[in-house]
Amino acid sequence: MQPDHQQTEDKRKELGRSDEPVEDELVEEFENTVAEGADRLNRTWRALVITGLFGGIDVGLGIMAMLAVKDATGSDLLAGMAFGIGLFALRLAHSELFTEDFLIPINAVVAKHGTWLQLCRLWTVTLVANLAGGWLFMWVVGAAFPQFEQLLLETSVKYMESGLTLETAALAILAGSTITLSTRMSQGTSNDVVTALISLISGLLVVGLGMLHGALNSIIIFGAMHLGAAISYSDWFVWFLWVIPLNMVGGLVIITLPRLIRTLELIKKERAEQSRKLVAQGLED
Protein backbone atom coordinates (compact mmCIF):
# COMPACT_ATOMS: atom_id res chain seq x y z
CA MET A 1 0.00 0.00 0.00
CA GLN A 2 1.27 3.47 -0.90
CA PRO A 3 1.21 6.15 1.82
CA ASP A 4 -1.68 8.62 1.55
CA HIS A 5 0.61 11.53 0.65
CA GLN A 6 2.17 9.49 -2.16
CA GLN A 7 -1.26 8.57 -3.53
CA THR A 8 -2.27 12.25 -3.42
CA GLU A 9 0.91 13.29 -5.23
CA ASP A 10 0.45 10.62 -7.91
CA LYS A 11 -3.17 11.71 -8.43
CA ARG A 12 -2.07 15.36 -8.72
CA LYS A 13 0.46 14.45 -11.40
CA GLU A 14 -2.14 12.40 -13.25
CA LEU A 15 -4.75 15.17 -13.31
CA GLY A 16 -2.46 18.17 -13.86
CA ARG A 17 -0.94 19.41 -17.08
CA SER A 18 2.55 19.04 -15.62
CA ASP A 19 4.26 16.28 -13.66
CA GLU A 20 4.84 18.50 -10.65
CA PRO A 21 3.26 17.59 -7.26
CA VAL A 22 1.59 21.02 -6.93
CA GLU A 23 -1.13 22.83 -8.85
CA ASP A 24 -0.30 23.86 -12.41
CA GLU A 25 -1.05 27.49 -11.59
CA LEU A 26 1.61 27.42 -8.86
CA VAL A 27 4.10 25.88 -11.26
CA GLU A 28 3.50 28.63 -13.80
CA GLU A 29 3.65 31.36 -11.14
CA PHE A 30 6.87 29.91 -9.70
CA GLU A 31 8.55 29.80 -13.10
CA ASN A 32 7.47 33.37 -13.88
CA THR A 33 8.63 34.77 -10.55
CA VAL A 34 12.00 33.01 -10.75
CA ALA A 35 12.59 34.36 -14.27
CA GLU A 36 11.51 37.90 -13.35
CA GLY A 37 13.40 37.79 -10.08
CA ALA A 38 16.60 36.75 -11.86
CA ASP A 39 16.17 39.68 -14.26
CA ARG A 40 15.82 42.12 -11.36
CA LEU A 41 18.82 40.70 -9.51
CA ASN A 42 21.04 40.97 -12.57
CA ARG A 43 20.18 44.53 -13.55
CA THR A 44 23.05 46.94 -14.06
CA TRP A 45 23.69 49.65 -11.49
CA ARG A 46 22.28 52.22 -13.91
CA ALA A 47 19.09 50.21 -14.44
CA LEU A 48 18.64 49.71 -10.69
CA VAL A 49 19.00 53.42 -9.98
CA ILE A 50 16.65 54.50 -12.77
CA THR A 51 13.90 51.98 -11.93
CA GLY A 52 14.16 52.95 -8.26
CA LEU A 53 13.99 56.67 -9.04
CA PHE A 54 10.90 56.16 -11.18
CA GLY A 55 9.42 54.03 -8.41
CA GLY A 56 9.63 57.05 -6.10
CA ILE A 57 8.19 59.31 -8.79
CA ASP A 58 5.29 56.92 -9.43
CA VAL A 59 4.55 56.84 -5.71
CA GLY A 60 4.65 60.66 -5.74
CA LEU A 61 2.08 60.62 -8.54
CA GLY A 62 -0.19 58.51 -6.36
CA ILE A 63 0.35 60.86 -3.42
CA MET A 64 -0.61 63.83 -5.62
CA ALA A 65 -3.86 62.05 -6.53
CA MET A 66 -4.42 61.15 -2.87
CA LEU A 67 -4.00 64.78 -1.77
CA ALA A 68 -6.38 66.05 -4.45
CA VAL A 69 -9.13 63.58 -3.49
CA LYS A 70 -8.60 64.06 0.25
CA ASP A 71 -8.76 67.83 -0.16
CA ALA A 72 -11.95 67.60 -2.22
CA THR A 73 -13.82 64.92 -0.25
CA GLY A 74 -12.23 64.63 3.19
CA SER A 75 -12.47 60.84 2.85
CA ASP A 76 -9.43 58.75 3.81
CA LEU A 77 -10.79 55.71 1.98
CA LEU A 78 -11.41 57.55 -1.30
CA ALA A 79 -7.99 59.19 -0.99
CA GLY A 80 -6.46 55.76 -0.49
CA MET A 81 -8.11 54.44 -3.63
CA ALA A 82 -6.81 57.46 -5.53
CA PHE A 83 -3.31 56.62 -4.34
CA GLY A 84 -3.74 53.29 -6.13
CA ILE A 85 -3.06 55.24 -9.34
CA GLY A 86 0.58 55.39 -8.25
CA LEU A 87 0.74 51.62 -7.66
CA PHE A 88 -0.85 51.02 -11.07
CA ALA A 89 1.73 53.31 -12.66
CA LEU A 90 4.48 51.32 -10.93
CA ARG A 91 3.31 48.10 -12.52
CA LEU A 92 2.66 49.47 -16.00
CA ALA A 93 6.00 51.30 -16.11
CA HIS A 94 7.90 48.35 -14.58
CA SER A 95 9.33 50.67 -11.95
CA GLU A 96 10.58 49.36 -8.62
CA LEU A 97 9.18 49.87 -5.12
CA PHE A 98 11.28 48.57 -2.21
CA THR A 99 8.57 46.42 -0.63
CA GLU A 100 7.65 44.85 -3.97
CA ASP A 101 11.00 43.06 -3.84
CA PHE A 102 10.06 40.93 -0.82
CA LEU A 103 8.75 38.05 -2.96
CA ILE A 104 9.84 37.81 -6.60
CA PRO A 105 13.65 38.16 -6.27
CA ILE A 106 13.69 35.95 -3.19
CA ASN A 107 12.18 33.14 -5.25
CA ALA A 108 15.07 33.58 -7.67
CA VAL A 109 17.68 33.51 -4.89
CA VAL A 110 16.38 30.37 -3.18
CA ALA A 111 16.14 28.69 -6.60
CA LYS A 112 19.86 29.48 -7.19
CA HIS A 113 19.23 32.01 -9.95
CA GLY A 114 20.88 34.76 -7.92
CA THR A 115 22.78 35.44 -4.71
CA TRP A 116 21.92 36.99 -1.38
CA LEU A 117 24.50 39.68 -2.09
CA GLN A 118 22.64 40.59 -5.28
CA LEU A 119 19.41 40.73 -3.27
CA CYS A 120 20.96 43.12 -0.73
CA ARG A 121 22.21 45.29 -3.59
CA LEU A 122 18.70 45.33 -5.12
CA TRP A 123 17.06 46.24 -1.82
CA THR A 124 19.56 48.95 -0.88
CA VAL A 125 19.72 50.70 -4.23
CA THR A 126 15.95 50.51 -4.75
CA LEU A 127 15.15 51.94 -1.32
CA VAL A 128 17.61 54.83 -1.61
CA ALA A 129 16.49 55.60 -5.17
CA ASN A 130 12.80 55.44 -4.15
CA LEU A 131 13.44 58.03 -1.45
CA ALA A 132 15.51 60.26 -3.74
CA GLY A 133 12.94 60.15 -6.56
CA GLY A 134 10.08 60.82 -4.15
CA TRP A 135 11.97 63.68 -2.46
CA LEU A 136 12.53 65.41 -5.78
CA PHE A 137 9.01 64.83 -7.08
CA MET A 138 7.37 66.10 -3.88
CA TRP A 139 9.42 69.31 -4.10
CA VAL A 140 7.75 69.91 -7.47
CA VAL A 141 4.31 68.97 -6.08
CA GLY A 142 4.78 71.34 -3.14
CA ALA A 143 5.78 74.17 -5.46
CA ALA A 144 2.82 73.52 -7.75
CA PHE A 145 0.16 72.99 -5.06
CA PRO A 146 0.96 75.02 -1.92
CA GLN A 147 -2.68 74.63 -0.90
CA PHE A 148 -1.85 71.08 0.17
CA GLU A 149 0.51 72.33 2.90
CA GLN A 150 -1.85 71.82 5.83
CA LEU A 151 -3.02 68.45 4.58
CA LEU A 152 0.56 67.21 4.12
CA LEU A 153 1.47 68.46 7.59
CA GLU A 154 -1.50 66.78 9.27
CA THR A 155 -0.87 63.50 7.45
CA SER A 156 2.85 63.48 8.29
CA VAL A 157 2.29 64.26 11.97
CA LYS A 158 -0.30 61.48 12.12
CA TYR A 159 2.27 58.99 10.84
CA MET A 160 5.02 60.03 13.24
CA GLU A 161 3.42 61.36 16.43
CA SER A 162 2.77 58.04 18.21
CA GLY A 163 6.27 56.60 17.88
CA LEU A 164 6.80 52.87 18.24
CA THR A 165 3.83 51.25 19.98
CA LEU A 166 2.04 47.95 19.58
CA GLU A 167 -0.50 49.65 17.31
CA THR A 168 2.05 51.37 15.05
CA ALA A 169 4.18 48.21 14.88
CA ALA A 170 1.12 46.25 13.72
CA LEU A 171 0.32 48.94 11.14
CA ALA A 172 3.87 48.70 9.75
CA ILE A 173 3.74 44.90 9.59
CA LEU A 174 0.39 45.02 7.81
CA ALA A 175 1.71 47.54 5.27
CA GLY A 176 4.57 45.22 4.33
CA SER A 177 2.35 42.17 4.06
CA THR A 178 -0.35 44.01 2.07
CA ILE A 179 2.02 45.38 -0.57
CA THR A 180 3.77 42.00 -0.89
CA LEU A 181 0.45 40.21 -1.25
CA SER A 182 -0.69 42.67 -3.91
CA THR A 183 2.59 42.01 -5.77
CA ARG A 184 1.85 38.29 -5.66
CA MET A 185 -1.70 38.84 -6.94
CA SER A 186 -0.48 41.06 -9.77
CA GLN A 187 2.04 38.39 -10.72
CA GLY A 188 -0.84 35.97 -11.25
CA THR A 189 -2.57 38.02 -13.96
CA SER A 190 -1.70 39.66 -17.26
CA ASN A 191 -5.00 41.55 -17.40
CA ASP A 192 -4.48 45.31 -16.99
CA VAL A 193 -8.01 45.79 -15.66
CA VAL A 194 -7.40 43.26 -12.89
CA THR A 195 -4.02 44.86 -12.17
CA ALA A 196 -5.72 48.26 -11.85
CA LEU A 197 -8.30 46.80 -9.47
CA ILE A 198 -5.55 45.24 -7.32
CA SER A 199 -3.75 48.58 -7.21
CA LEU A 200 -6.88 50.45 -6.11
CA ILE A 201 -7.61 47.88 -3.40
CA SER A 202 -4.01 48.06 -2.18
CA GLY A 203 -4.18 51.86 -2.00
CA LEU A 204 -7.50 51.65 -0.16
CA LEU A 205 -6.01 49.32 2.45
CA VAL A 206 -2.52 50.79 2.92
CA VAL A 207 -3.26 54.51 2.64
CA GLY A 208 -6.98 54.55 3.40
CA LEU A 209 -6.51 52.65 6.67
CA GLY A 210 -3.43 54.63 7.69
CA MET A 211 -0.88 51.80 7.60
CA LEU A 212 2.80 52.71 8.02
CA HIS A 213 4.90 52.10 4.93
CA GLY A 214 8.51 53.28 5.19
CA ALA A 215 9.06 54.38 1.59
CA LEU A 216 5.54 55.63 0.83
CA ASN A 217 5.05 57.57 4.06
CA SER A 218 8.58 59.00 3.85
CA ILE A 219 7.73 60.62 0.53
CA ILE A 220 4.64 62.20 2.09
CA ILE A 221 6.76 63.44 5.00
CA PHE A 222 9.32 64.89 2.56
CA GLY A 223 6.50 66.83 0.91
CA ALA A 224 5.52 68.33 4.26
CA MET A 225 9.16 69.19 5.02
CA HIS A 226 9.49 70.98 1.68
CA LEU A 227 6.55 73.16 2.67
CA GLY A 228 8.07 74.11 6.01
CA ALA A 229 6.83 71.45 8.43
CA ALA A 230 8.73 71.39 11.73
CA ILE A 231 10.07 67.90 11.07
CA SER A 232 13.83 67.38 10.96
CA TYR A 233 15.63 64.75 8.93
CA SER A 234 16.81 63.18 12.19
CA ASP A 235 13.18 62.91 13.39
CA TRP A 236 12.26 61.26 10.11
CA PHE A 237 15.25 58.91 10.21
CA VAL A 238 14.49 57.65 13.72
CA TRP A 239 10.93 56.87 12.61
CA PHE A 240 12.20 55.28 9.39
CA LEU A 241 14.62 52.98 11.26
CA TRP A 242 11.85 51.06 13.01
CA VAL A 243 9.19 51.18 10.28
CA ILE A 244 11.28 49.57 7.51
CA PRO A 245 12.27 46.43 9.50
CA LEU A 246 8.63 45.89 10.48
CA ASN A 247 7.57 46.28 6.83
CA MET A 248 10.10 43.54 6.06
CA VAL A 249 8.66 41.30 8.77
CA GLY A 250 5.20 41.70 7.26
CA GLY A 251 6.28 40.99 3.71
CA LEU A 252 8.87 38.28 4.32
CA VAL A 253 7.42 36.35 7.25
CA ILE A 254 3.67 36.62 6.67
CA ILE A 255 3.58 36.31 2.87
CA THR A 256 6.89 35.13 1.38
CA LEU A 257 7.83 32.38 3.85
CA PRO A 258 4.53 30.45 3.53
CA ARG A 259 4.76 30.78 -0.27
CA LEU A 260 8.27 29.30 -0.24
CA ILE A 261 7.08 26.41 1.93
CA ARG A 262 4.13 25.82 -0.41
CA THR A 263 6.43 25.52 -3.44
CA LEU A 264 9.24 23.69 -1.66
CA GLU A 265 9.22 20.77 -4.12
CA LEU A 266 9.67 23.17 -7.04
CA ILE A 267 12.46 25.01 -5.26
CA LYS A 268 14.35 21.78 -4.53
CA LYS A 269 14.01 20.64 -8.12
CA GLU A 270 15.18 23.97 -9.52
CA ARG A 271 18.13 24.14 -7.10
CA ALA A 272 19.21 20.65 -8.14
CA GLU A 273 18.94 21.61 -11.81
CA GLN A 274 21.02 24.74 -11.28
CA SER A 275 23.63 22.73 -9.36
CA ARG A 276 23.88 20.27 -12.26
CA LYS A 277 24.36 23.15 -14.69
CA LEU A 278 27.14 24.64 -12.55
CA VAL A 279 28.91 21.27 -12.35
CA ALA A 280 28.60 20.83 -16.11
CA GLN A 281 30.02 24.30 -16.72
CA GLY A 282 32.89 23.55 -14.36
CA LEU A 283 33.74 20.35 -16.26
CA GLU A 284 33.65 22.22 -19.55
CA ASP A 285 35.96 24.89 -18.21
Side-chain angles (χ1 to χ4, degrees):
M1 293 289 291
Q2 288 183 317
D4 289 343
H5 71 85
Q6 184 63 48
Q7 291 178 355
T8 302
E9 182 175 315
D10 291 344
K11 190 66 174 178
R12 163 91 268 296
K13 291 179 178 179
E14 178 185 339
L15 294 176
R17 295 187 300 273
S18 71
D19 291 333
E20 304 297 344
V22 297
E23 293 86 347
D24 295 323
E25 290 78 11
L26 286 180
V27 175
E28 183 177 353
E29 180 187 337
F30 176 79
E31 292 172 348
N32 290 339
T33 55
V34 168
E36 183 177 340
D39 286 342
R40 293 188 187 187
L41 291 169
N42 288 283
R43 281 176 178 158
T44 64
W45 286 95
R46 180 181 62 182
L48 277 178
V49 171
I50 294 300
T51 54
L53 284 172
F54 274 103
I57 291 170
D58 290 340
V59 167
L61 179 69
I63 292 171
M64 186 166 59
M66 176 200 78
L67 292 171
V69 172
K70 175 70 173 177
D71 186 58
T73 68
S75 170
D76 289 332
L77 294 180
L78 289 177
M81 290 187 69
F83 173 78
I85 294 171
L87 296 177
F88 189 47
L90 272 169
R91 297 197 167 92
L92 289 186
H94 300 287
S95 304
E96 207 77 75
L97 181 64
F98 173 63
T99 47
E100 289 190 313
D101 285 327
F102 290 168
L103 175 65
I104 293 173
I106 289 180
N107 272 357
V109 171
V110 298
K112 285 193 172 183
H113 283 258
T115 67
W116 293 106
L117 183 60
Q118 287 177 309
L119 180 64
C120 289
R121 183 185 75 125
L122 174 65
W123 281 350
T124 302
V125 175
T126 299
L127 179 57
V128 172
N130 283 167
L131 296 175
W135 188 95
L136 289 169
F137 189 81
M138 289 307 294
W139 183 88
V140 177
V141 171
F145 302 106
Q147 66 267 31
F148 292 152
E149 176 181 355
Q150 188 61 33
L151 184 54
L152 276 168
L153 176 61
E154 292 173 357
T155 305
S156 300
V157 169
K158 182 180 177 182
Y159 288 144
M160 299 179 65
E161 64 182 347
S162 299
L164 178 57
T165 66
L166 179 61
E167 179 183 353
T168 57
L171 288 171
I173 290 171
L174 285 173
S177 63
T178 302
I179 292 294
T180 305
L181 181 58
S182 71
T183 302
R184 177 182 171 271
M185 290 190 294
S186 296
Q187 190 66 22
T189 180
S190 58
N191 188 311
D192 288 344
V193 174
V194 175
T195 300
L197 181 60
I198 293 170
S199 300
L200 293 177
I201 292 173
S202 299
L204 169 69
L205 294 175
V206 175
V207 176
L209 295 181
M211 296 180 189
L212 297 180
H213 186 285
L216 189 164
N217 295 163
S218 290
I219 295 172
I220 295 174
I221 293 168
F222 292 157
M225 293 167 70
H226 289 322
L227 292 173
I231 301 172
S232 68
Y233 283 100
S234 59
D235 292 336
W236 160 76
F237 191 62
V238 169
W239 171 87
F240 183 77
L241 282 179
W242 62 261
V243 173
I244 284 294
L246 290 171
N247 288 163
M248 296 178 74
V249 169
L252 297 173
V253 177
I254 295 179
I255 303 300
T256 301
L257 183 59
R259 174 54 52 177
L260 293 178
I261 294 172
R262 181 67 183 88
T263 57
L264 189 58
E265 297 90 349
L266 302 179
I267 292 171
K268 289 179 177 178
K269 181 178 178 180
E270 189 62 27
R271 287 176 64 87
E273 180 63 27
Q274 289 301 111
S275 296
R276 283 194 294 270
K277 288 181 180 179
L278 291 174
V279 170
Q281 288 175 0
L283 292 175
E284 290 176 1
D285 294 339

